[in-house]
Amino acid sequence: MNWGFVGLGQMGLPMARRLSARVDLRAYDLRSGDFAGLDTVETAAELSGCEVLVTCLPDGRAVRNVLFGEPGLADSPERPGVVIDTSTTTHAAALDIGARLAERGIAFLDAPVSGMQARAEEGTLTMMVGGAAEQLAPLRDPLGAMASRILHVGPVGAGQLAKLTNQLLFDINMAALAEILPISAKLGLDPGQVAEIVNSGTGRSYASEFFLPNILQGVFDQGYPMQAAYKDLIAGAAVTNENGFPAPVLAAATATYQQALAEGFGGEDKGAMIKVFERLVGAAFRSRE
């Protein structure tokens, strides 16, 4: 079985490299780069004929373009039998893509992943898969090269909903840290000690464990840029608004996120949200050593 892979960015490149160790893989990215270790092609159209196509792209529009636009791999004479989208898009996008592929006789698995670049390099991502269980079953072994945990969470679209649930909690956690920690510094507590207390106590979270050591050193380039990740909050607003679900904490976290973007921190990671409140209270949460 031959595979194609589109999207060799921060996550896609290490994922494709690991996958290539288990399957016959050809890969493509719109941008040039150092793709050592991969059999790459110059155009996406050259992936025509692959039996399984994996996409790892910035958003649903990019996925649709590859499948139905130019080059339109879903409409090629040698179309794939299965498309696995590991991108973070939206529930609505997954439903639309799945329906359009079904019309062409192509199976679809929406399979976003959780974990940052380091976990992609280690092959320890969590993959949340929406689609037919019988389509996933024979693909579990090769997908296991990228994700140590593969969870079938329901029909097409369920993968994106599961990923969104996780991401929104991550965003809310970071927004809470950004608001509270500068207050502790302003009132005279040592930021290093506070970070140690949080990360060894009941206030800890993945956000605190990942971001606090970097924030203490003034480092804000170790995670996904806020501007790119903002799509999660847009998707969260869409789901809650469409269903009439109250989400006051999410709304507050979104406001913090938006303020950070408005102040020009969009190119930095989510830890940079703390700069908003550091300015407001007049104290920086940085190591004193």
Side-chain angles (χ1 to χ4, degrees), residues 1-5 19 23-27 47 50-54 84 138-139 142-143 146:
M1 183 179 292
N2 56 73
W3 292 53
F5 198 108
L19 182 60
V23 301
D24 180 10
L25 181 79
R26 288 175 294 157
L47 297 179
C50 66
E51 297 169 81
V52 181
L53 178 67
V54 180
I84 304 171
L139 303 174
L143 292 176
M146 301 183 289

Side-chain angles (χ1 to χ4, degrees), residues 7-219:
L8 303 175
Q10 186 180 59
M11 296 292 288
L13 180 56
M15 289 168 63
R17 281 177 170 154
R18 293 194 63 86
L19 182 60
S20 68
R22 294 199 187 181
V23 301
D24 180 10
L25 181 79
R26 288 175 294 157
Y28 169 76
D29 192 88
L30 183 64
R31 301 159 298 180
S32 60
D34 180 10
F35 305 136
L38 287 175
D39 178 10
T40 56
V41 296
E42 294 186 2
T43 67
E46 294 176 69
L47 297 179
S48 177
C50 66
E51 297 169 81
V52 181
L53 178 67
V54 180
T55 52
C56 187
L57 295 164
D59 51 41
R61 181 171 62 177
V63 177
R64 289 187 185 96
N65 188 57
V66 166
L67 295 175
F68 312 114
E70 182 60 43
L73 291 174
D75 291 317
S76 68
E78 297 181 277
R79 64 190 65 174
V82 182
V83 172
I84 304 171
D85 182 30
T86 65
S87 318
T88 299
T89 61
T90 65
H91 179 241
L95 293 179
D96 174 64
I97 292 167
R100 294 170 71 177
L101 289 174
E103 291 172 354
R104 293 161 169 80
I106 302 171
F108 180 58
L109 298 174
D110 78 288
V113 295
S114 178
M116 294 188 178
Q117 184 178 359
R119 287 180 59 193
E121 293 170 349
E122 296 166 355
T124 58
L125 296 169
T126 295
M127 180 176 287
M128 297 141 280
V129 185
E134 58 270 25
Q135 292 292 342
L136 172 61
L139 303 174
R140 278 186 175 273
D141 181 67
L143 292 176
M146 301 183 289
S148 57
R149 182 171 298 174
I150 301 172
L151 302 174
H152 180 250
V153 293
V156 168
Q160 293 297 334
L161 285 177
K163 171 69 182 288
L164 181 62
T165 299
N166 181 68
Q167 289 302 106
L168 294 180
L169 289 170
F170 184 37
D171 293 335
I172 288 169
N173 270 296
M174 188 56 240
L177 292 164
E179 179 178 330
I180 300 302
L181 295 179
I183 295 173
S184 71
K186 180 68 174 181
L187 296 178
L189 293 179
D190 178 85
Q193 289 183 331
V194 171
E196 184 177 353
I197 290 165
V198 169
N199 280 337
S200 63
T202 54
R204 76 181 180 277
S205 64
Y206 181 81
S208 71
E209 291 175 341
F210 181 83
F211 286 115
L212 291 194
N214 294 328
I215 290 172
L216 287 171
Q217 301 303 317
V219 175

